[in-house]
């Protein structure tokens, strides 16, 4: 059962992570992957994610362990960018492999919900040269709350 | 001058800098009193938390930092 | 809103589909991908999927359209193998891209549940030189039933 | 000899071949009577469906195939 968690301060290519991760788990039934990119909303020129080293990576590792404990996985991969990014650049990659598909899909859903509103990142975006700090959306909190109700092992 | 304060997110904007050092020992009252008014008010908000040497305090009012410690001031996260 | 559906009778490389699919949707917020492989269970030597051309591809296209109607997607890609496959070979690839992550993840979950027990495929596996026909698992039927209860637009 | 029968999945095993042709016209009764006993019994099962020229029949007993038509005999799917 493999866990791979990385925090990167430079652009990355999701395929170069997913290929080796998949190949490292022979016998798997399926692998589910989510890649989030900086959305080119309206007039957003750039997005900046800041983190606090002593908490952020440790928090991501704890999240990966929680997913491994909660779902029947063979492995999980979490990669997250920090720093300044342009629209179209990948921010986050979560990949989970399992013998059965729903464990992999659910683990990705679970990890993404937690990364989006319960991880140690601070985000701001630049429009018209002005930086504005971002808060999680209401939906993000609602998505996260789903996991408190159903502690089922898939 | 030996406790390091680290300001995250919008608190770094308010502080005008990402880090500063203050005298040890440092408790909650001396932390708040040592910061300029706008920043002090911001960190008193319910949603701002403190971490001492990488561990988040359950109650920030129990802060007790000494020589060489690092105190992070954490506004609400915005997620990845 | 793009729909790409393919039925293949030879091995394929998932990455060679996902890369161009992602690049074809600039401005996306995220892309979720599931790749299913022939599991190396016990002593399975080979898996064979048969299909009936007039129904199978049309059914996959209808499924893609249903996902596009049900979730707020920018595009969906469904690729499925037929013929004889070895353990470790990809059987199925579903990829969905959307402005918001949960639509993409849910669409992949939805499409996979339908492909696993409600698509025109017949599957048999060879163990010790003997072919045996496979029926869907009970969980597959239960997974499918979930979608009849909640016609929400995510 | 002008309606084509296509056997899928385990029905192809039972038939011993994937396709055969039978005389038109062909209805449900003549289809069942024309097949050997084991196969006829199998297709009478509730879970076996028929498709006429690529369209699944809601009720297989309404089969009415003519010259040049293709009838597919579909056992329960096993999914991808």
């Amino acid at each position: 059962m493999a866990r791979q968690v990385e925090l990167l301060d430079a652009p990355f290519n999701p395929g170069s992570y997913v290929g080796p991760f998949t190949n490292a788990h022979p016998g798997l039934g399926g692998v589910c992957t989510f890649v989030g990119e900086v959305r080119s909303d309206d007039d957003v020129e750039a997005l900046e994610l800041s983190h606090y080293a002593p908490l952020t990576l440790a928090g991501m590792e704890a999240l990966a362990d929680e997913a491994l404990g909660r779902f029947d996985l063979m492995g999980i991969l979490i990669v997250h960018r920090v720093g300044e990014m342009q629209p179209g650049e990948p921010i986050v990659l979560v990949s989970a492999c399992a013998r059965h598909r729903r464990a992999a899909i659910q683990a990705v859903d679970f990890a993404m919900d937690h990364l989006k509103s319960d991880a140690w990142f601070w985000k701001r975006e630049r429009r018209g040269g002005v930086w504005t700090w971002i808060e999680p959306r209401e939906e993000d909190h609602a998505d996260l709350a789903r996991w408190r109700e159903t502690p089922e092992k898939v | 001058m030996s406790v390091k304060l680290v300001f995250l997110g919008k608190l770094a904007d308010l502080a005008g800098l990402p880090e500063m050092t203050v005298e040890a020992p440092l408790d909650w009252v001396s932390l708040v009193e040592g910061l300029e008014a706008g920043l002090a008010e911001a960190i008193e908000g319910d949603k701002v938390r403190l971490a001492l040497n990488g561990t988040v305090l359950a109650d920030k009012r129990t802060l007790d930092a000494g020589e060489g410690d690092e105190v992070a001031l954490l506004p609400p996260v915005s997620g990845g």
Side-chain angles (χ1 to χ4, degrees), chain A, chain B:
Chain A
M1 197 158 68
R3 184 193 78 175
Q4 184 182 352
V5 177
E6 297 188 21
L7 208 50
L8 305 176
D9 58 7
F12 70 103
N13 174 4
S16 71
Y17 279 87
V18 175
F21 174 71
T22 303
N23 293 337
H25 295 90
L28 62 81
V31 54
C32 184
T33 301
F34 180 84
V35 176
E37 298 187 354
V38 180
R39 221 178 12 248
S40 46
D41 267 341
D42 320 329
D43 50 356
V44 172
E45 299 152 352
L47 186 78
E48 189 191 51
L49 270 188
S50 48
H51 73 297
Y52 178 54
L55 291 181
T56 310
L57 188 61
M60 288 166 61
E61 289 169 343
L63 176 60
D65 285 339
E66 204 182 331
L68 286 169
R70 186 163 181 144
F71 306 101
D72 191 5
L73 304 180
M74 296 173 73
I76 187 163
L77 166 69
I78 302 180
V79 178
H80 214 295
R81 266 296 302 279
V82 290
E84 187 173 324
M85 290 159 268
Q86 312 307 312
E89 282 185 34
I91 307 180
V92 59
L93 162 65
V94 174
S95 200
C97 59
R99 292 177 54 75
H100 295 290
R101 75 183 181 286
R102 292 217 59 232
I105 294 172
Q106 293 249 77
V108 168
D109 199 19
F110 173 86
M112 280 305 308
D113 280 351
H114 285 76
L115 287 169
K116 288 301 280 188
S117 60
D118 193 32
W120 295 104
F121 293 107
W122 295 272
K123 184 160 60 182
R124 57 179 190 165
E125 58 187 26
R126 196 178 67 217
R127 296 169 189 256
V130 179
W131 285 104
T132 310
W133 292 97
I134 309 293
E135 309 264 318
R137 303 175 305 153
E138 272 308 306
E139 299 100 288
D140 291 326
H141 291 302
D143 289 344
L144 187 62
R146 295 182 304 136
W147 302 102
R148 293 190 199 108
E149 293 153 19
T150 52
E152 32 156 3
K153 179 115 179 175
V154 175
Chain B
M1 297 290 278
S2 60
V3 173
K4 180 171 161 189
L5 301 184
V6 179
F7 300 101
L8 277 304
K10 65 174 76 167
L11 296 179
D13 282 1
L14 273 176
L17 76 190
E19 298 181 0
M20 60 186 279
T21 51
V22 294
E23 274 179 37
L26 183 76
D27 63 9
W28 172 251
V29 171
S30 58
L31 171 64
V32 172
E33 286 177 349
L35 298 174
E36 56 92 352
L39 193 53
E41 192 179 344
I43 75 161
E44 287 184 295
D46 280 349
K47 291 181 170 176
V48 171
R49 307 187 71 178
L50 293 189
L52 176 60
N53 298 327
T55 300
V56 179
L57 299 180
D59 177 357
K60 62 192 174 190
R61 282 155 218 284
T62 64
L63 176 67
D64 181 16
E67 184 73 25
D69 284 344
E70 177 168 308
V71 176
L73 295 86
L74 312 162
V77 297
S78 37

mmCIF file of all heavy atoms in Angstrom, chain A residues 3-28:
data_model
loop_
_atom_site.group_PDB
_atom_site.id
_atom_site.type_symbol
_atom_site.label_atom_id
_atom_site.label_comp_id
_atom_site.label_asym_id
_atom_site.label_seq_id
_atom_site.Cartn_x
_atom_site.Cartn_y
_atom_site.Cartn_z
ATOM 1 N N ARG A 3 1.944 5.263 -0.528
ATOM 2 C CA ARG A 3 1.489 6.633 -0.362
ATOM 3 C C ARG A 3 2.554 7.559 -0.919
ATOM 4 O O ARG A 3 3.717 7.462 -0.533
ATOM 5 C CB ARG A 3 1.305 6.910 1.128
ATOM 6 C CG ARG A 3 0.739 8.272 1.438
ATOM 7 C CD ARG A 3 0.893 8.579 2.909
ATOM 8 N NE ARG A 3 2.255 8.980 3.214
ATOM 9 C CZ ARG A 3 2.658 9.406 4.418
ATOM 10 N NH1 ARG A 3 1.821 9.431 5.432
ATOM 11 N NH2 ARG A 3 3.911 9.780 4.623
ATOM 12 N N GLN A 4 2.142 8.436 -1.852
ATOM 13 C CA GLN A 4 3.090 9.391 -2.413
ATOM 14 C C GLN A 4 2.458 10.779 -2.332
ATOM 15 O O GLN A 4 1.391 11.013 -2.897
ATOM 16 C CB GLN A 4 3.388 9.014 -3.874
ATOM 17 C CG GLN A 4 4.442 9.905 -4.523
ATOM 18 C CD GLN A 4 4.681 9.550 -5.994
ATOM 19 O OE1 GLN A 4 4.163 8.545 -6.481
ATOM 20 N NE2 GLN A 4 5.437 10.378 -6.689
ATOM 21 N N VAL A 5 3.107 11.689 -1.592
ATOM 22 C CA VAL A 5 2.548 13.024 -1.375
ATOM 23 C C VAL A 5 3.639 14.051 -1.669
ATOM 24 O O VAL A 5 4.738 13.959 -1.111
ATOM 25 C CB VAL A 5 2.055 13.192 0.079
ATOM 26 C CG1 VAL A 5 1.537 14.610 0.317
ATOM 27 C CG2 VAL A 5 0.959 12.173 0.397
ATOM 28 N N GLU A 6 3.342 14.998 -2.553
ATOM 29 C CA GLU A 6 4.348 15.999 -2.911
ATOM 30 C C GLU A 6 3.760 17.401 -2.973
ATOM 31 O O GLU A 6 2.633 17.589 -3.419
ATOM 32 C CB GLU A 6 4.985 15.659 -4.268
ATOM 33 C CG GLU A 6 5.734 14.340 -4.251
ATOM 34 C CD GLU A 6 6.523 14.091 -5.530
ATOM 35 O OE1 GLU A 6 6.826 15.062 -6.260
ATOM 36 O OE2 GLU A 6 6.825 12.912 -5.789
ATOM 37 N N LEU A 7 4.576 18.362 -2.560
ATOM 38 C CA LEU A 7 4.237 19.779 -2.637
ATOM 39 C C LEU A 7 5.267 20.394 -3.580
ATOM 40 O O LEU A 7 6.467 20.268 -3.352
ATOM 41 C CB LEU A 7 4.372 20.362 -1.227
ATOM 42 C CG LEU A 7 3.545 21.551 -0.793
ATOM 43 C CD1 LEU A 7 2.067 21.378 -1.089
ATOM 44 C CD2 LEU A 7 3.755 21.767 0.701
ATOM 45 N N LEU A 8 4.790 21.013 -4.668
ATOM 46 C CA LEU A 8 5.704 21.490 -5.707
ATOM 47 C C LEU A 8 5.589 22.993 -5.888
ATOM 48 O O LEU A 8 4.482 23.533 -5.902
ATOM 49 C CB LEU A 8 5.356 20.842 -7.052
ATOM 50 C CG LEU A 8 5.315 19.319 -7.096
ATOM 51 C CD1 LEU A 8 4.851 18.863 -8.477
ATOM 52 C CD2 LEU A 8 6.683 18.744 -6.776
ATOM 53 N N ASP A 9 6.743 23.667 -6.101
ATOM 54 C CA ASP A 9 6.667 25.110 -6.331
ATOM 55 C C ASP A 9 6.959 25.481 -7.786
ATOM 56 O O ASP A 9 7.254 26.633 -8.083
ATOM 57 C CB ASP A 9 7.593 25.861 -5.370
ATOM 58 C CG ASP A 9 9.026 25.416 -5.520
ATOM 59 O OD1 ASP A 9 9.309 24.627 -6.448
ATOM 60 O OD2 ASP A 9 9.872 25.857 -4.718
ATOM 61 N N ALA A 10 6.853 24.484 -8.676
ATOM 62 C CA ALA A 10 7.050 24.746 -10.108
ATOM 63 C C ALA A 10 6.035 23.920 -10.902
ATOM 64 O O ALA A 10 5.501 22.935 -10.380
ATOM 65 C CB ALA A 10 8.479 24.372 -10.497
ATOM 66 N N PRO A 11 5.740 24.317 -12.148
ATOM 67 C CA PRO A 11 4.740 23.586 -12.949
ATOM 68 C C PRO A 11 5.075 22.101 -13.067
ATOM 69 O O PRO A 11 6.249 21.717 -13.046
ATOM 70 C CB PRO A 11 4.848 24.263 -14.326
ATOM 71 C CG PRO A 11 5.307 25.652 -14.031
ATOM 72 C CD PRO A 11 6.270 25.485 -12.864
ATOM 73 N N PHE A 12 4.030 21.280 -13.153
ATOM 74 C CA PHE A 12 4.257 19.843 -13.289
ATOM 75 C C PHE A 12 3.328 19.270 -14.351
ATOM 76 O O PHE A 12 2.307 19.844 -14.688
ATOM 77 C CB PHE A 12 4.055 19.118 -11.947
ATOM 78 C CG PHE A 12 2.618 19.052 -11.471
ATOM 79 C CD1 PHE A 12 1.874 17.877 -11.593
ATOM 80 C CD2 PHE A 12 2.005 20.147 -10.898
ATOM 81 C CE1 PHE A 12 0.566 17.801 -11.142
ATOM 82 C CE2 PHE A 12 0.685 20.089 -10.449
ATOM 83 C CZ PHE A 12 -0.038 18.916 -10.569
ATOM 84 N N ASN A 13 3.735 18.104 -14.867
ATOM 85 C CA ASN A 13 2.973 17.401 -15.884
ATOM 86 C C ASN A 13 2.272 16.205 -15.235
ATOM 87 O O ASN A 13 2.927 15.250 -14.821
ATOM 88 C CB ASN A 13 3.950 16.933 -16.974
ATOM 89 C CG ASN A 13 3.265 16.063 -18.014
ATOM 90 O OD1 ASN A 13 2.040 15.860 -17.977
ATOM 91 N ND2 ASN A 13 4.048 15.548 -18.935
ATOM 92 N N PRO A 14 0.926 16.249 -15.121
ATOM 93 C CA PRO A 14 0.208 15.175 -14.424
ATOM 94 C C PRO A 14 0.528 13.787 -14.982
ATOM 95 O O PRO A 14 0.691 12.830 -14.229
ATOM 96 C CB PRO A 14 -1.262 15.536 -14.660
ATOM 97 C CG PRO A 14 -1.260 17.022 -14.812
ATOM 98 C CD PRO A 14 0.011 17.328 -15.554
ATOM 99 N N GLY A 15 0.646 13.692 -16.296
ATOM 100 C CA GLY A 15 0.905 12.378 -16.909
ATOM 101 C C GLY A 15 2.201 11.758 -16.422
ATOM 102 O O GLY A 15 2.311 10.529 -16.298
ATOM 103 N N SER A 16 3.182 12.599 -16.113
ATOM 104 C CA SER A 16 4.474 12.050 -15.705
ATOM 105 C C SER A 16 4.413 11.484 -14.286
ATOM 106 O O SER A 16 5.306 10.756 -13.863
ATOM 107 C CB SER A 16 5.570 13.116 -15.805
ATOM 108 O OG SER A 16 5.374 14.076 -14.794
ATOM 109 N N TYR A 17 3.324 11.820 -13.543
ATOM 110 C CA TYR A 17 3.106 11.210 -12.229
ATOM 111 C C TYR A 17 2.208 9.977 -12.321
ATOM 112 O O TYR A 17 2.444 8.968 -11.668
ATOM 113 C CB TYR A 17 2.468 12.218 -11.261
ATOM 114 C CG TYR A 17 3.463 13.160 -10.649
ATOM 115 C CD1 TYR A 17 3.819 14.339 -11.284
ATOM 116 C CD2 TYR A 17 4.075 12.862 -9.433
ATOM 117 C CE1 TYR A 17 4.749 15.204 -10.733
ATOM 118 C CE2 TYR A 17 4.997 13.714 -8.865
ATOM 119 C CZ TYR A 17 5.334 14.891 -9.520
ATOM 120 O OH TYR A 17 6.258 15.725 -8.958
ATOM 121 N N VAL A 18 1.139 10.085 -13.121
ATOM 122 C CA VAL A 18 0.125 9.030 -13.151
ATOM 123 C C VAL A 18 0.660 7.746 -13.782
ATOM 124 O O VAL A 18 0.361 6.642 -13.308
ATOM 125 C CB VAL A 18 -1.145 9.515 -13.890
ATOM 126 C CG1 VAL A 18 -2.145 8.378 -14.016
ATOM 127 C CG2 VAL A 18 -1.770 10.685 -13.135
ATOM 128 N N GLY A 19 1.466 7.888 -14.827
ATOM 129 C CA GLY A 19 2.008 6.699 -15.499
ATOM 130 C C GLY A 19 2.810 5.823 -14.536
ATOM 131 O O GLY A 19 2.466 4.658 -14.300
ATOM 132 N N PRO A 20 3.861 6.369 -13.921
ATOM 133 C CA PRO A 20 4.660 5.573 -12.976
ATOM 134 C C PRO A 20 3.843 5.078 -11.773
ATOM 135 O O PRO A 20 4.051 3.963 -11.303
ATOM 136 C CB PRO A 20 5.749 6.551 -12.529
ATOM 137 C CG PRO A 20 5.856 7.550 -13.640
ATOM 138 C CD PRO A 20 4.466 7.677 -14.201
ATOM 139 N N PHE A 21 2.894 5.915 -11.284
ATOM 140 C CA PHE A 21 2.068 5.505 -10.149
ATOM 141 C C PHE A 21 1.245 4.263 -10.519
ATOM 142 O O PHE A 21 1.169 3.293 -9.759
ATOM 143 C CB PHE A 21 1.141 6.659 -9.743
ATOM 144 C CG PHE A 21 0.135 6.311 -8.680
ATOM 145 C CD1 PHE A 21 0.527 6.097 -7.368
ATOM 146 C CD2 PHE A 21 -1.214 6.187 -9.005
ATOM 147 C CE1 PHE A 21 -0.408 5.774 -6.383
ATOM 148 C CE2 PHE A 21 -2.153 5.871 -8.033
ATOM 149 C CZ PHE A 21 -1.742 5.657 -6.722
ATOM 150 N N THR A 22 0.639 4.291 -11.708
ATOM 151 C CA THR A 22 -0.159 3.146 -12.175
ATOM 152 C C THR A 22 0.725 1.916 -12.349
ATOM 153 O O THR A 22 0.388 0.809 -11.903
ATOM 154 C CB THR A 22 -0.843 3.497 -13.509
ATOM 155 O OG1 THR A 22 -1.646 4.657 -13.330
ATOM 156 C CG2 THR A 22 -1.732 2.348 -13.975
ATOM 157 N N ASN A 23 1.872 2.111 -12.994
ATOM 158 C CA ASN A 23 2.761 0.975 -13.253
ATOM 159 C C ASN A 23 3.319 0.364 -11.978
ATOM 160 O O ASN A 23 3.707 -0.800 -11.959
ATOM 161 C CB ASN A 23 3.922 1.415 -14.162
ATOM 162 C CG ASN A 23 3.414 1.768 -15.554
ATOM 163 O OD1 ASN A 23 2.344 1.312 -15.982
ATOM 164 N ND2 ASN A 23 4.168 2.595 -16.261
ATOM 165 N N ALA A 24 3.349 1.165 -10.905
ATOM 166 C CA ALA A 24 3.887 0.668 -9.637
ATOM 167 C C ALA A 24 2.904 -0.251 -8.915
ATOM 168 O O ALA A 24 3.240 -0.807 -7.876
ATOM 169 C CB ALA A 24 4.253 1.847 -8.725
ATOM 170 N N HIS A 25 1.686 -0.404 -9.462
ATOM 171 C CA HIS A 25 0.675 -1.236 -8.809
ATOM 172 C C HIS A 25 0.136 -2.306 -9.742
ATOM 173 O O HIS A 25 -1.025 -2.269 -10.131
ATOM 174 C CB HIS A 25 -0.462 -0.362 -8.283
ATOM 175 C CG HIS A 25 -0.026 0.571 -7.208
ATOM 176 N ND1 HIS A 25 0.436 1.842 -7.455
ATOM 177 C CD2 HIS A 25 0.065 0.404 -5.865
ATOM 178 C CE1 HIS A 25 0.778 2.425 -6.313
ATOM 179 N NE2 HIS A 25 0.566 1.583 -5.335
ATOM 180 N N PRO A 26 0.964 -3.264 -10.105
ATOM 181 C CA PRO A 26 0.475 -4.335 -10.977
ATOM 182 C C PRO A 26 -0.649 -5.094 -10.275
ATOM 183 O O PRO A 26 -0.658 -5.211 -9.056
ATOM 184 C CB PRO A 26 1.710 -5.221 -11.166
ATOM 185 C CG PRO A 26 2.602 -4.892 -10.024
ATOM 186 C CD PRO A 26 2.346 -3.461 -9.679
ATOM 187 N N GLY A 27 -1.621 -5.546 -11.054
ATOM 188 C CA GLY A 27 -2.729 -6.291 -10.468
ATOM 189 C C GLY A 27 -3.912 -5.429 -10.100
ATOM 190 O O GLY A 27 -4.937 -5.938 -9.659
ATOM 191 N N LEU A 28 -3.786 -4.113 -10.279
ATOM 192 C CA LEU A 28 -4.891 -3.223 -9.905
ATOM 193 C C LEU A 28 -6.100 -3.458 -10.805
ATOM 194 O O LEU A 28 -5.983 -3.935 -11.930
ATOM 195 C CB LEU A 28 -4.453 -1.764 -9.966
ATOM 196 C CG LEU A 28 -3.989 -1.155 -11.297
ATOM 197 C CD1 LEU A 28 -5.143 -0.741 -12.194
ATOM 198 C CD2 LEU A 28 -3.159 0.098 -10.995
#
